[in-house]
């Protein structure tokens, strides 16, 4: 991804084998482009919990580097793993990458190389998601009158900022745009943290993709009026049965899409698949965040970032950060290997090696 014409990833080591990790500070976007330097594992864990970095793939890659930093510091790696996994509970990529680092340590493999491999794979898988997902957009474009854009609705930020590069939901969009297919994206603002307004709009505009910001509750209206051809969202954790955990509000968009016959796809690398659980509504842990995110807005006023209060002083607020869209509402899942149905059969056919992965296979880092 390019920022003002310069190539960036969302994170990189300060130098080869450096114990300092550089990352784009996403709390400052879209108003300021700031690179943060995370000098140790504790700072890296804090960067994840405070959402300096966020998005399923990116927190996984960041936590992997945190494990490398912990090893440089001579820390007990199982304790470091527990700390990192506890930073954000919903996105399973975090646990996946930390457990992979623990396995590498157990096998005496080089942890720096492993962390770099996780980051490279994340970018590569997202690029492949783009290669597969573009077929959906191409198909719709063929059926539209010449010159009419394909209208895609997305929620939150499953873009390159949520991964190491390319993004999941946005990868097919960037690919289509680069191939000259006319695309236009409806971007849900995604209250309460507004990742759609602040991050997705910013990165789509950096890439030159036509996009329009909409309030979270506008999607149903647009779908009723034939203004959405396709929904593509990301995922933070998808169960083996194809239930999709994603940013709060995704489920309502899927219901509206279902009611209006609009295809609804979730795009994700296999690191987002949790083979150990089936029923997402009951089993995906839903992060609850600070009520202040709901009670306040955050934005630029006269060159300063301000956080005005929206509700009456002293108001109660609930902040469930994710919800689960049942597989029956998901038209398909776009992965790095191709597109499959949101079902146990579809996912197992796509990832047959995962049949042997059971919960007992994951390393026990919870109880250290
Ligand atoms: O709370 P966040 O910003 O880390 O949430 C993650 C998301 O941006 C979304 O849920 C996204 O659609 C999936 S992450 C690729």
């Amino acid at each position: 991804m390019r920022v003002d014409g310069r190539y960036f990833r969302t994170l990189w080591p300060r130098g080869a084998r450096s114990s300092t990790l550089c990352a784009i500070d996403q709390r400052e976007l879209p108003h300021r482009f700031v690179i943060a330097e995370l000098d140790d594992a504790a700072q890296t864990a804090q960067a994840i919990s405070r959402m300096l970095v966020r998005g399923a793939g990116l927190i996984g890659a960041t936590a992997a580097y945190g494990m490398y930093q912990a090893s440089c510091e001579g820390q007990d790696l199982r304790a470091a793993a527990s700390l990192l996994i506890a930073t954000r509970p919903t996105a399973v990529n975090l646990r996946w990458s930390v457990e992979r680092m623990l396995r590498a340590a157990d096998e005496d493999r080089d942890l720096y190389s492993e962390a770099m491999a996780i980051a490279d794979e994340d970018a590569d898988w997202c690029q492949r998601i783009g290669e597969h997902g573009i077929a959906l957009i191409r198909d719709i474009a063929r059926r539209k009158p010449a010159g009419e854009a394909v209208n895609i609705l997305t929620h939150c930020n499953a873009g390159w900022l949520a991964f190491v590069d390319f993004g999941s939901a946005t990868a097919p969009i960037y690919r289509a745009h680069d191939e000259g297919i006319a695309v236009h994206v409806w971007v849900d603002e995604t209250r309460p943290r507004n990742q759609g307004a602040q991050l997705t709009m910013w990165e789509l505009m950096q890439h030159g993709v036509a996009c329009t910001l909409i309030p979270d509750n506008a999607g149903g209206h647009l779908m009723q009026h034939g203004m959405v051809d396709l929904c593509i969202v990301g995922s933070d954790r998808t169960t083996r049965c194809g239930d999709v955990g994603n940013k709060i509000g995704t489920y309502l968009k899927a219901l509206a899409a279902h009611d209006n016959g609009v295809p609804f796809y979730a795009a994700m690398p296999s690191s987002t698949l949790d083979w150990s659980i089936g029923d997402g509504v009951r089993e995906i842990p839903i992060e609850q965040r600070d009520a202040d995110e709901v009670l306040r807005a955050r934005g630029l006023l006269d060159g300063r970032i301000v956080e005005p209060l929206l509700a009456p002083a002293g108001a109660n607020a609930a902040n469930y950060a994710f919800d689960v869209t049942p597989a029956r509402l998901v038209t398909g899942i776009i992965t790095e290997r191709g597109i499959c149905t949101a079902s146990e059969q579809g996912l197992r056919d796509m990832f047959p090696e995962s049949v042997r992965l059971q919960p007992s296979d994951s390393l026990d880092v919870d109880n250290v």
Side-chain angles (χ1 to χ4, degrees), residues 51 54-56 88 155-158 162-163 168 195 234-236 246-247 322:
M51 293 179 71
R54 31 77 40 209
R88 304 263 337 250
H155 191 68
C156 198
N157 175 263
F163 290 88
S168 55
Q195 290 95 327
S235 175
D236 297 270
N246 195 48
K247 182 56 57 186
F322 299 92

mmCIF file of all heavy atoms in Angstrom, residues 51 54-56 88 155-158 162-163 168 195 234-236 246-247 322, ligand 1:
data_model
loop_
_atom_site.group_PDB
_atom_site.id
_atom_site.type_symbol
_atom_site.label_atom_id
_atom_site.label_comp_id
_atom_site.label_asym_id
_atom_site.label_seq_id
_atom_site.Cartn_x
_atom_site.Cartn_y
_atom_site.Cartn_z
ATOM 1 N N MET A 51 -4.913 -0.215 20.991
ATOM 2 C CA MET A 51 -5.309 -0.081 19.578
ATOM 3 C C MET A 51 -4.470 0.930 18.790
ATOM 4 O O MET A 51 -4.955 1.557 17.865
ATOM 5 C CB MET A 51 -6.812 0.177 19.462
ATOM 6 C CG MET A 51 -7.592 -1.050 19.913
ATOM 7 S SD MET A 51 -9.362 -0.907 19.856
ATOM 8 C CE MET A 51 -9.703 -0.912 18.106
ATOM 9 N N ARG A 54 -4.317 -2.429 15.263
ATOM 10 C CA ARG A 54 -5.584 -3.146 15.455
ATOM 11 C C ARG A 54 -5.873 -3.888 14.150
ATOM 12 O O ARG A 54 -5.155 -3.749 13.160
ATOM 13 C CB ARG A 54 -6.742 -2.240 15.887
ATOM 14 C CG ARG A 54 -6.759 -0.834 15.426
ATOM 15 C CD ARG A 54 -7.166 -0.563 14.019
ATOM 16 N NE ARG A 54 -8.261 -1.350 13.540
ATOM 17 C CZ ARG A 54 -8.412 -1.677 12.293
ATOM 18 N NH1 ARG A 54 -7.523 -1.313 11.368
ATOM 19 N NH2 ARG A 54 -9.433 -2.386 11.900
ATOM 20 N N GLY A 55 -6.966 -4.664 14.180
ATOM 21 C CA GLY A 55 -7.270 -5.485 13.003
ATOM 22 C C GLY A 55 -6.668 -6.865 13.199
ATOM 23 O O GLY A 55 -5.532 -7.002 13.682
ATOM 24 N N ALA A 56 -7.448 -7.894 12.819
ATOM 25 C CA ALA A 56 -7.097 -9.269 13.177
ATOM 26 C C ALA A 56 -5.681 -9.682 12.745
ATOM 27 O O ALA A 56 -4.885 -10.174 13.558
ATOM 28 C CB ALA A 56 -8.137 -10.216 12.569
ATOM 29 N N ARG A 88 -6.334 -8.730 23.506
ATOM 30 C CA ARG A 88 -7.610 -8.585 22.790
ATOM 31 C C ARG A 88 -8.203 -9.988 22.659
ATOM 32 O O ARG A 88 -7.572 -10.873 22.080
ATOM 33 C CB ARG A 88 -7.418 -7.995 21.369
ATOM 34 C CG ARG A 88 -6.706 -6.679 21.269
ATOM 35 C CD ARG A 88 -7.532 -5.415 21.169
ATOM 36 N NE ARG A 88 -8.865 -5.366 20.705
ATOM 37 C CZ ARG A 88 -9.259 -4.817 19.545
ATOM 38 N NH1 ARG A 88 -8.379 -4.342 18.699
ATOM 39 N NH2 ARG A 88 -10.543 -4.741 19.250
ATOM 40 N N HIS A 155 -17.800 -2.913 6.040
ATOM 41 C CA HIS A 155 -18.006 -2.485 7.425
ATOM 42 C C HIS A 155 -16.655 -2.456 8.132
ATOM 43 O O HIS A 155 -15.808 -3.308 7.907
ATOM 44 C CB HIS A 155 -18.942 -3.490 8.113
ATOM 45 C CG HIS A 155 -19.441 -3.040 9.447
ATOM 46 N ND1 HIS A 155 -20.313 -1.996 9.602
ATOM 47 C CD2 HIS A 155 -19.176 -3.498 10.702
ATOM 48 C CE1 HIS A 155 -20.586 -1.825 10.889
ATOM 49 N NE2 HIS A 155 -19.906 -2.725 11.577
ATOM 50 N N CYS A 156 -16.470 -1.468 8.982
ATOM 51 C CA CYS A 156 -15.242 -1.354 9.776
ATOM 52 C C CYS A 156 -14.015 -1.202 8.878
ATOM 53 O O CYS A 156 -14.110 -0.659 7.780
ATOM 54 C CB CYS A 156 -15.092 -2.535 10.731
ATOM 55 S SG CYS A 156 -13.902 -2.194 12.064
ATOM 56 N N ASN A 157 -12.876 -1.688 9.329
ATOM 57 C CA ASN A 157 -11.687 -1.650 8.479
ATOM 58 C C ASN A 157 -11.073 -3.032 8.406
ATOM 59 O O ASN A 157 -10.414 -3.491 9.350
ATOM 60 C CB ASN A 157 -10.632 -0.657 8.997
ATOM 61 C CG ASN A 157 -9.354 -0.733 8.159
ATOM 62 O OD1 ASN A 157 -8.390 -1.409 8.525
ATOM 63 N ND2 ASN A 157 -9.360 -0.110 7.012
ATOM 64 N N ALA A 158 -11.344 -3.704 7.289
ATOM 65 C CA ALA A 158 -10.649 -4.954 6.998
ATOM 66 C C ALA A 158 -9.758 -4.666 5.799
ATOM 67 O O ALA A 158 -9.724 -5.398 4.817
ATOM 68 C CB ALA A 158 -11.633 -6.077 6.724
ATOM 69 N N ALA A 162 -5.590 -3.252 8.650
ATOM 70 C CA ALA A 162 -5.960 -4.316 9.579
ATOM 71 C C ALA A 162 -5.051 -5.537 9.436
ATOM 72 O O ALA A 162 -5.182 -6.514 10.183
ATOM 73 C CB ALA A 162 -7.414 -4.721 9.369
ATOM 74 N N PHE A 163 -4.163 -5.487 8.445
ATOM 75 C CA PHE A 163 -3.243 -6.604 8.185
ATOM 76 C C PHE A 163 -1.851 -6.022 7.992
ATOM 77 O O PHE A 163 -1.608 -4.868 8.330
ATOM 78 C CB PHE A 163 -3.706 -7.377 6.938
ATOM 79 C CG PHE A 163 -4.980 -8.151 7.187
ATOM 80 C CD1 PHE A 163 -6.218 -7.555 7.003
ATOM 81 C CD2 PHE A 163 -4.936 -9.451 7.650
ATOM 82 C CE1 PHE A 163 -7.392 -8.242 7.265
ATOM 83 C CE2 PHE A 163 -6.100 -10.155 7.918
ATOM 84 C CZ PHE A 163 -7.332 -9.548 7.724
ATOM 85 N N SER A 168 -8.120 -7.788 3.843
ATOM 86 C CA SER A 168 -8.908 -8.963 3.442
ATOM 87 C C SER A 168 -10.104 -8.496 2.608
ATOM 88 O O SER A 168 -10.134 -8.695 1.381
ATOM 89 C CB SER A 168 -9.343 -9.766 4.668
ATOM 90 O OG SER A 168 -10.042 -8.944 5.595
ATOM 91 N N GLN A 195 -13.781 3.071 12.749
ATOM 92 C CA GLN A 195 -12.679 2.585 11.897
ATOM 93 C C GLN A 195 -13.010 2.758 10.412
ATOM 94 O O GLN A 195 -12.112 2.896 9.589
ATOM 95 C CB GLN A 195 -12.389 1.107 12.178
ATOM 96 C CG GLN A 195 -11.758 0.827 13.528
ATOM 97 C CD GLN A 195 -12.782 0.463 14.575
ATOM 98 O OE1 GLN A 195 -13.906 0.961 14.543
ATOM 99 N NE2 GLN A 195 -12.424 -0.397 15.499
ATOM 100 N N GLY A 234 -14.787 -8.214 6.677
ATOM 101 C CA GLY A 234 -13.681 -9.037 7.173
ATOM 102 C C GLY A 234 -14.177 -9.966 8.265
ATOM 103 O O GLY A 234 -15.390 -10.183 8.420
ATOM 104 N N SER A 235 -13.259 -10.502 9.022
ATOM 105 C CA SER A 235 -13.643 -11.319 10.178
ATOM 106 C C SER A 235 -12.502 -11.319 11.191
ATOM 107 O O SER A 235 -11.318 -11.225 10.824
ATOM 108 C CB SER A 235 -13.943 -12.761 9.766
ATOM 109 O OG SER A 235 -14.191 -13.549 10.923
ATOM 110 N N ASP A 236 -12.869 -11.400 12.439
ATOM 111 C CA ASP A 236 -11.885 -11.512 13.520
ATOM 112 C C ASP A 236 -11.766 -12.949 14.004
ATOM 113 O O ASP A 236 -10.748 -13.333 14.575
ATOM 114 C CB ASP A 236 -12.282 -10.587 14.671
ATOM 115 C CG ASP A 236 -12.256 -9.139 14.219
ATOM 116 O OD1 ASP A 236 -11.216 -8.498 14.334
ATOM 117 O OD2 ASP A 236 -13.284 -8.667 13.686
ATOM 118 N N ASN A 246 -17.276 -10.619 13.693
ATOM 119 C CA ASN A 246 -16.684 -9.411 13.095
ATOM 120 C C ASN A 246 -17.164 -8.194 13.882
ATOM 121 O O ASN A 246 -17.956 -8.311 14.825
ATOM 122 C CB ASN A 246 -17.072 -9.304 11.620
ATOM 123 C CG ASN A 246 -16.215 -8.307 10.858
ATOM 124 O OD1 ASN A 246 -14.993 -8.338 10.975
ATOM 125 N ND2 ASN A 246 -16.826 -7.415 10.105
ATOM 126 N N LYS A 247 -16.700 -7.032 13.477
ATOM 127 C CA LYS A 247 -17.012 -5.789 14.196
ATOM 128 C C LYS A 247 -18.511 -5.621 14.405
ATOM 129 O O LYS A 247 -19.313 -5.939 13.528
ATOM 130 C CB LYS A 247 -16.417 -4.615 13.413
ATOM 131 C CG LYS A 247 -16.589 -3.251 14.031
ATOM 132 C CD LYS A 247 -16.052 -3.147 15.449
ATOM 133 C CE LYS A 247 -14.583 -3.504 15.568
ATOM 134 N NZ LYS A 247 -14.106 -3.532 16.957
ATOM 135 N N PHE A 322 -17.883 -6.617 19.095
ATOM 136 C CA PHE A 322 -18.034 -7.547 17.966
ATOM 137 C C PHE A 322 -19.404 -8.214 18.024
ATOM 138 O O PHE A 322 -20.042 -8.242 19.078
ATOM 139 C CB PHE A 322 -16.935 -8.631 18.013
ATOM 140 C CG PHE A 322 -15.540 -8.047 17.903
ATOM 141 C CD1 PHE A 322 -14.828 -7.705 19.038
ATOM 142 C CD2 PHE A 322 -14.964 -7.812 16.663
ATOM 143 C CE1 PHE A 322 -13.561 -7.127 18.947
ATOM 144 C CE2 PHE A 322 -13.692 -7.248 16.556
ATOM 145 C CZ PHE A 322 -12.992 -6.905 17.706
HETATM 146 O O1 LIG B 1 -11.442 -3.593 16.925
HETATM 147 P P1 LIG B 1 -10.636 -3.708 15.682
HETATM 148 O O2 LIG B 1 -10.512 -2.433 14.903
HETATM 149 O O3 LIG B 1 -9.308 -4.399 15.885
HETATM 150 O O4 LIG B 1 -11.563 -4.685 14.855
HETATM 151 C C1 LIG B 1 -11.177 -5.434 13.830
HETATM 152 C C2 LIG B 1 -11.832 -4.941 12.616
HETATM 153 O O5 LIG B 1 -11.419 -3.951 12.096
HETATM 154 C C3 LIG B 1 -12.949 -5.620 12.030
HETATM 155 O O6 LIG B 1 -13.756 -6.348 12.816
HETATM 156 C C4 LIG B 1 -12.571 -6.203 10.707
HETATM 157 O O7 LIG B 1 -13.691 -6.275 9.927
HETATM 158 C C5 LIG B 1 -11.936 -7.543 10.797
HETATM 159 S S1 LIG B 1 -10.265 -7.432 11.142
HETATM 160 C C6 LIG B 1 -9.612 -7.884 9.654
#
